[in-house]
Amino acid sequence: MFCRKTLKLICGLAGSSTALVLAAAAADSRGYFGERQSEAGGRWLSLSVLDAAQPAWTPAGITPVQTGHAWDFNWDKRDPSALTNGKKKESATEDPSSEQDNGKPKATRNILLIRHSQYNLSGSSDKERILTPLGREQAELTGHRLAALGLKYDVLVHSSMARATETAHIISKHLPGVELLSCDLLREGAPIEPVPPVTHWKPDAVQYHEDGARIEAAFRRYIHRADPKQKEDSYEIIVCHANVIRYFVCRALQFPPEGWLRMGLNNGSITWLTIRPSGRVALRTLGDAGFMPPDKLTRT
């Protein structure tokens, strides 16, 4: 007859917790753990054996270790403590702590990044790459979803490319009174060479150099904590492109930006970034398209 200790020793030598689970189940079914239990008792015994077989997740020897750099609270160069560092006081009686408080952001910025809807891939120029009938349906669904959230939107900025412009104009019909602006910085491009590399898409070094600088400039313009003068939380919509959004997310979360191509975004999806006054950033949703019927989902 096998006792529990003997069984655990045998399986431990085999070096496999899976083996222990299987052996324990077999032994229990044959009554090798001693007297037959009642049906209920047998179930509890099986559970205890299975629990004993599970590996310990946090032993001292393999405690998870932090990797990478600590969070940079001055990532947007707007940390009040950094801005007031080295400033010359105007008077001897000036209280430096009150000066810092006056320059400290108090509002939270919410940035909703919308990927444009499906468009005509066969167009030879940007003007011909307009939305397909399905793409226009997707834009309507996205606009309806944004309206249903019941948020007080401050502005709707969009890329100047045709597919993003058309998507933004359809969305804006659902958000009357929200200012609509166009921006060339938000145009699609190649932000940085992806890691790992892919074979189906290989921009040259010049494109990475030019597009990367422009998309980084767009990030610095739109992704940052609130100005100290901003009193209320804001909700801003940016309609642009998958590469731009994925790069923004990596940069905002301080992930390696070259990992941007590891993510996928559906057309018309919503990615929601929240930037706190302290400089903390949270990703509330990434590529949310759950408000669309399955037959309306695309990723072109």
Side-chain angles (χ1 to χ4, degrees), residues 24 52 115 117 134 189 196 198 232 255 293:
R115 190 191 174 196
S117 301
L134 174 57
V198 293
E232 298 180 354
F255 292 162

Side-chain angles (χ1 to χ4, degrees), residues 21-290:
V21 173
L22 295 175
D28 182 57
S29 67
R30 289 170 173 77
Y32 291 159
F33 284 130
E35 293 181 355
R36 289 270 181 185
Q37 308 286 328
S38 66
E39 187 176 347
R43 280 198 295 269
W44 284 110
L45 179 58
S46 298
L47 287 172
S48 66
V49 170
L50 294 175
D51 287 342
Q54 302 308 309
W57 295 112
T58 55
I62 57 170
T63 301
V65 179
Q66 289 186 357
T67 59
H69 301 288
W71 181 262
D72 176 13
F73 280 93
N74 195 30
W75 59 273
D76 58 352
K77 309 306 177 190
R78 295 169 187 246
D79 184 353
S81 61
L83 291 172
T84 55
N85 250 353
K87 267 191 177 181
K88 186 177 179 182
K89 290 193 293 184
E90 295 188 9
S91 69
T93 59
E94 185 178 342
D95 182 359
S97 63
S98 65
E99 179 187 357
Q100 186 170 326
D101 286 341
N102 291 335
K104 188 178 292 185
K106 299 173 181 61
T108 294
R109 294 186 68 219
N110 293 276
I111 302 167
L112 287 83
L113 301 161
I114 314 298
R115 190 191 174 196
H116 61 78
S117 301
Q118 186 191 62
Y119 68 102
N120 173 28
L121 289 168
S122 61
S124 58
S125 66
D126 179 57
K127 289 182 179 180
E128 295 176 358
R129 293 173 188 151
I130 57 175
L131 300 187
T132 64
L134 174 57
R136 290 191 286 275
E137 282 187 68
Q138 291 169 338
E140 294 283 359
L141 289 167
T142 303
H144 185 270
R145 172 60 175 169
L146 290 169
L149 290 175
L151 302 172
K152 182 183 176 182
Y153 299 108
D154 297 87
V155 67
L156 197 169
V157 186
H158 63 85
S159 156
S160 56
M161 296 186 83
R163 55 190 183 271
T165 300
E166 190 176 357
T167 301
H169 279 269
I170 293 173
I171 289 174
S172 71
K173 294 189 301 182
H174 297 266
L175 307 172
V178 178
E179 185 180 11
L180 194 64
L181 301 173
S182 178
C183 179
D184 289 334
L185 291 178
L186 293 168
R187 295 172 72 88
E188 184 63 302
I192 187 173
E193 191 169 356
V195 176
V198 293
T199 57
H200 62 277
W201 185 71
K202 286 192 172 183
D204 57 31
V206 173
Q207 186 176 352
Y208 279 124
H209 179 71
E210 294 178 351
D211 290 353
R214 172 179 55 77
I215 295 171
E216 173 63 21
F219 174 82
R220 297 186 185 194
R221 172 178 290 189
Y222 294 108
I223 313 297
H224 55 78
R225 78 192 77 192
D227 186 273
K229 296 177 182 178
Q230 182 176 322
K231 303 302 181 185
E232 298 180 354
D233 294 350
S234 59
Y235 295 88
E236 303 158 50
I237 301 170
I238 299 177
V239 179
C240 53
H241 309 269
N243 296 359
V244 177
I245 294 171
R246 292 180 286 188
Y247 178 80
F248 280 10
V249 168
C250 287
R251 285 281 284 109
L253 297 179
Q254 299 187 22
F255 292 162
E258 61 271 18
W260 63 271
L261 198 51
R262 302 171 201 172
M263 295 177 276
L265 299 174
N266 286 329
N267 295 111
S269 62
I270 301 172
T271 296
W272 186 337
L273 285 170
T274 296
I275 307 175
R276 303 292 182 191
S278 64
R280 293 181 183 274
V281 180
L283 180 63
R284 296 190 61 172
T285 63
L286 175 66
D288 175 28

